[in-house]
Amino acid sequence: YLFVNCWCMHPSFFTRIWFGWFTGTSAWALRGFYEGICGLRREYGGLRVQPCIPGAWKELTLTRTFRGCRYHIHISNTGSGKPEVTVDGNRLADTLLPVLNDGQIHEVVVRIREANAMQISVMSFNIQHCLNYRTRQIDFDLFAQVIRQSGADIVGLNEVNGRGAGADYLPQAEILAERLGFHAYFAQAIAFDGVNPYGNALLSRYSIETAQTILIPDPETRGYAGYYETRCLLKAVVRTPQPLTVCVTHFGLNPDEQVLAQETVLAQIEDQRCVLMGDFNMTPDAELLQSIRARMTDTAALIQGPTATFPSDRPDRKLDYLFLSRDLTVQSAEILPVIASDHRPYFTVLSF
């Protein structure tokens, strides 16, 4: 860019510049780029991020030093709506970067989306094979009602029975899907007594384009005295307007099982348009969750009320999780105050 303030108006010399370069021109050009195009404007309370970049520029990355720290800023331009800003994975309420003054480098992601960005509601629910927590009876009506009233578009289920030899081993995912008018996929992790399937399931208002069952390896030797059980990861692509990868899993109870489950998850999750959910059988301070949080957004950060999910009548610990890839935006998240299973449902609204 070149700024000039004197040029000829005479027809013989029209637009000829009298002075080709002024002291400060490059500095003003840089300031115009940072503040005008990138929208990084200094305010008393922090650094405002309000980009105004050409539609042909789909992304932009820059670094800005401001009041004692450095912001590494990535701007993703996919629309004309209000910018959505996250700092180190935490979404801000507006577009003002806080004054951190800690001498560190902070990762800032700015997404400019379409004003009418699509919203989808997702729910993770350990249904304990549709066992009514109060009556201790299999109750399809109750669980279908919980899902229907939640308004969820996509539901990941744990502890689901498939069709087997036992009286309680009915195709539970298909039964719930039929009552809801949803699509279903059942992922068998194990067959009890060799004839009774058990695992995870996916219910979706949208059609399921592809789905697969990925078994989580069992430990070669059992290092703990607790109960062991073969687990799996359900991975599917749901046909939303922009295809969405959905992963549903259920971690084991023992640390050696959980390490193998974590490794399986990290190998299967996608970095774009991906949801990971399920019963992880660990509390939020577990070290194994950090590597997942390094790649995905933990939606629990937006839960306004209690975060505990188990047991449902008096929840005192959080065992269930719902993660989103970084390109998806968490609009809201909550633990539904429902007593149906022994776990409470975990509900999130996302947009992309």
Side-chain angles (χ1 to χ4, degrees):
Y1 293 88
L2 175 65
F3 291 105
V4 297
N5 68 350
C6 293
W7 61 85
C8 293
M9 296 298 292
H10 190 280
S12 299
F13 306 100
F14 183 65
T15 72
R16 180 177 293 182
I17 300 169
W18 285 111
F19 303 101
W21 196 268
F22 285 97
T23 301
T25 295
S26 58
W28 276 108
L30 184 62
R31 182 172 180 178
F33 174 74
Y34 270 111
E35 296 188 0
I37 297 175
C38 300
L40 304 179
R41 301 184 183 91
R42 297 166 294 172
E43 295 185 6
Y44 180 80
L47 186 65
R48 179 70 63 185
V49 183
Q50 198 76 36
C52 183
I53 62 179
W57 296 10
K58 296 306 179 186
E59 58 182 355
L60 181 68
T61 300
L62 66 154
T63 300
R64 178 73 157 86
T65 302
F66 181 73
R67 295 185 189 173
C69 67
R70 296 180 69 190
Y71 296 104
H72 185 255
I73 303 169
H74 181 80
I75 302 174
S76 174
N77 183 28
T78 59
S80 57
K82 180 181 177 181
E84 298 168 353
V85 183
T86 62
V87 179
D88 297 328
N90 299 311
R91 186 182 174 192
L92 303 183
D94 62 7
T95 60
L96 186 68
L97 300 183
V99 179
L100 299 174
N101 194 27
D102 57 4
Q104 303 297 313
I105 299 176
H106 297 277
E107 296 295 327
V108 178
V109 177
V110 182
R111 299 185 181 92
I112 309 171
R113 301 185 183 278
E114 291 292 350
N116 58 345
M118 181 176 184
Q119 291 191 348
I120 294 177
S121 54
V122 180
M123 187 165 75
S124 180
F125 195 11
N126 183 327
I127 61 172
Q128 199 185 19
H129 54 273
C130 290
L131 187 68
N132 186 316
Y133 191 68
R134 298 186 187 278
T135 67
R136 313 309 295 170
Q137 300 293 320
I138 300 297
D139 193 339
F140 293 114
D141 289 336
L142 172 64
F143 286 88
Q145 179 183 19
V146 170
I147 296 171
R148 185 182 299 109
Q149 290 181 348
S150 74
D153 299 308
I154 298 172
V155 186
L157 304 177
N158 302 126
E159 298 191 12
V160 184
N161 288 348
R163 186 186 299 276
D168 291 338
Y169 284 86
L170 301 172
Q172 295 185 334
E174 290 82 354
I175 291 172
L176 291 174
E178 183 178 358
R179 299 188 181 201
L180 295 165
F182 277 26
H183 303 272
Y185 177 79
F186 171 67
Q188 178 178 321
I190 193 172
F192 289 113
D193 300 322
V195 292
N196 294 315
Y198 179 80
N200 303 310
L202 175 66
L203 304 179
S204 174
R205 192 184 307 275
Y206 303 96
S207 62
I208 300 172
E209 188 172 300
T210 63
Q212 58 181 315
T213 302
I214 301 164
L215 291 178
I216 297 172
D218 293 325
E220 293 184 3
T221 57
R222 296 183 175 184
Y224 299 86
Y227 170 72
Y228 280 77
E229 179 184 297
T230 301
R231 311 279 176 158
C232 77
L233 173 76
L234 184 162
K235 184 175 183 179
V237 175
V238 176
R239 193 188 291 274
T240 56
Q242 298 184 50
L244 185 70
T245 299
V246 180
C247 297
V248 183
T249 192
H250 189 185
F251 280 26
L253 299 170
N254 300 288
D256 48 357
E257 291 181 294
Q258 294 171 352
V259 168
L260 293 170
Q262 177 223 38
E263 293 174 352
T264 302
V265 163
L266 291 175
Q268 295 298 328
I269 56 176
E270 306 292 341
D271 292 325
Q272 291 188 331
R273 294 198 297 273
C274 183
V275 175
L276 169 66
M277 56 182 160
D279 177 359
F280 284 61
N281 271 320
M282 57 180 69
T283 52
D285 58 350
E287 185 65 27
L288 290 176
L289 293 175
Q290 296 309 313
S291 57
I292 300 174
R293 291 190 180 110
R295 289 181 57 185
M296 307 187 82
T297 301
D298 188 347
T299 62
L302 269 73
I303 297 178
Q304 299 296 318
T307 61
T309 61
F310 180 88
S312 60
D313 56 342
R314 294 182 179 180
D316 58 14
R317 74 206 83 161
K318 185 179 188 300
L319 301 179
D320 302 87
Y321 296 84
L322 211 158
F323 298 94
L324 305 181
S325 57
R326 300 288 191 197
D327 61 321
L328 301 177
T329 300
V330 189
Q331 297 293 343
S332 64
E334 63 177 314
I335 307 302
L336 302 183
V338 172
I339 303 176
S341 170
D342 58 342
H343 288 244
R344 290 193 173 188
Y346 187 164
F347 182 84
T348 292
V349 177
L350 63 91
S351 66
F352 59 93

